[in-house]
Amino acid sequence: MIYVWHTGHEINEKISQALHAGIPQNILKHTEWAENYFNSPNKYTAVGYGILRGTGDIFKHNQKHNVDYYEVDRGYINPKHFDGYYRISKNGMQAKYVDKDLPSDRLDKLKIERDNWYDPKGRIIVCPPSDFIEHYYDMLPNSWENAVKEALEGNNEHTKIRHKSDTTPLEHDLKGAKAVYTFNSNVAIEATIKGIPVVANRESVVYKWKRNAVPPTIEEIDKLLRFISYNQFTLEEIKNGTAWRLLHA
């Protein structure tokens, strides 16, 4: 049995209804019922959009009890409501990269414009996690940011800390960058598309793909993007079952 957890929020509700339509043998639940679920000995696979309004607590509870969960969120590429893409990640906030050759059919539809903005003499862009992510992972405020700054200190590296609230256009920061350090931000994907090396935590889809600040090759980038294209879906694909089928292919 699969529980699709919904919160009543407009975005969550619309995606929850699509999940309900596209996943066989599931039950719609509301996070107001979470206390009963927490106290019940029966634990079921959980699916839900986002980590706010109680869904994050459901995911952490399932993780504690070694029960599968799927977190749905804005996609890696073209992440728009409701005519863009949504990622669906099993037992984590992002998909766990697997090194395999996937077809390019889904990637071709995204029509990605690639470039090479890497500059070995450029600065390092550091993108700390949001307050919500820190809370979800039980991190002390600014602990990840401080650890990265300490690691880079003394290396004569020119860095910029780019918080989620930064209004500077991302392209301005990425052009001529030497590397991007991030916890699990989508900036990792945008930087990779522009040929900029990324260092990310294990919560990011790029973690198992590449773990150092060496510029990726075109072949490496293409393999990552093909994997990503098979782990993000339109709302219609979620609704008609395509997403669930591809995730379990």
Side-chain angles (χ1 to χ4, degrees):
M1 188 179 296
I2 299 171
Y3 279 7
V4 178
W5 291 90
H6 64 114
T7 66
H9 185 273
E10 178 186 3
I11 295 174
N12 176 285
E13 186 64 25
K14 189 164 185 175
I15 296 170
S16 294
Q17 294 293 345
L19 289 165
H20 182 57
I23 301 175
Q25 298 179 341
N26 68 78
I27 296 178
L28 274 177
K29 300 290 285 186
H30 197 287
T31 50
E32 288 177 356
W33 303 349
E35 186 174 350
N36 291 335
Y37 178 73
F38 294 154
N39 295 329
S40 170
N42 300 316
K43 308 300 176 190
Y44 301 104
T45 298
V47 187
Y49 174 80
I51 58 172
L52 302 181
R53 304 175 184 86
T55 49
D57 295 331
I58 300 291
F59 299 147
K60 292 170 77 171
H61 185 72
N62 272 30
Q63 184 179 48
K64 178 181 177 181
H65 291 275
N66 296 313
V67 179
D68 288 340
Y69 65 92
Y70 293 80
E71 197 264 346
V72 186
D73 219 312
R74 286 159 55 87
Y76 304 101
I77 302 169
N78 192 19
K80 296 189 298 182
H81 298 306
F82 293 100
D83 57 349
Y85 284 81
Y86 296 92
R87 66 177 187 257
I88 303 180
S89 312
K90 182 178 181 180
N91 298 333
M93 298 290 289
Q94 295 192 17
K96 296 174 177 61
Y97 176 74
V98 178
D99 186 4
K100 58 182 179 181
D101 289 316
L102 289 166
S104 62
D105 56 329
R106 293 184 62 83
L107 176 59
D108 293 341
K109 293 178 182 178
L110 294 171
K111 302 185 185 302
I112 297 173
E113 294 185 10
R114 306 185 192 184
D115 211 326
N116 184 9
W117 290 356
Y118 167 69
D119 182 351
K121 297 182 179 179
R123 61 182 176 178
I124 294 175
I125 308 301
V126 178
C127 301
S130 68
D131 295 343
F132 296 121
I133 292 295
E134 287 181 329
H135 176 74
Y136 180 78
Y137 285 105
D138 300 319
M139 301 163 60
L140 293 174
N142 304 316
S143 58
W144 182 89
E145 178 182 339
N146 291 335
V148 172
K149 288 193 290 188
E150 183 178 350
L152 295 175
E153 189 177 6
N155 293 336
N156 295 319
E157 302 283 11
H158 181 200
T159 66
K160 175 186 176 178
I161 309 299
R162 181 184 173 90
H163 293 101
K164 201 171 184 67
S165 59
D166 198 320
T167 58
T168 304
L170 180 59
E171 288 191 357
H172 177 273
D173 284 342
L174 289 184
K175 280 187 177 178
K178 177 180 181 179
V180 168
Y181 281 64
T182 179
F183 186 78
N184 69 345
S185 170
N186 260 8
V187 174
I189 310 303
E190 298 182 58
T192 297
I193 290 171
K194 302 303 183 184
I196 301 168
V198 174
V199 178
N201 280 53
R202 64 179 66 250
E203 289 77 12
S204 171
V205 67
V206 307
Y207 176 73
K208 287 188 176 181
W209 168 70
K210 200 169 183 62
R211 303 187 191 180
N212 54 47
V214 177
T217 65
I218 294 296
E219 291 75 16
E220 288 172 331
I221 295 173
D222 191 64
K223 185 173 282 190
L224 172 67
L225 296 181
R226 292 201 306 269
F227 176 81
I228 284 174
S229 72
Y230 268 81
N231 283 273
Q232 67 167 28
F233 312 94
T234 64
L235 194 63
E236 180 59 30
E237 287 176 329
I238 294 173
K239 185 177 181 179
N240 65 26
T242 297
W244 203 246
R245 176 177 57 81
L246 289 179
L247 286 170
H248 296 87

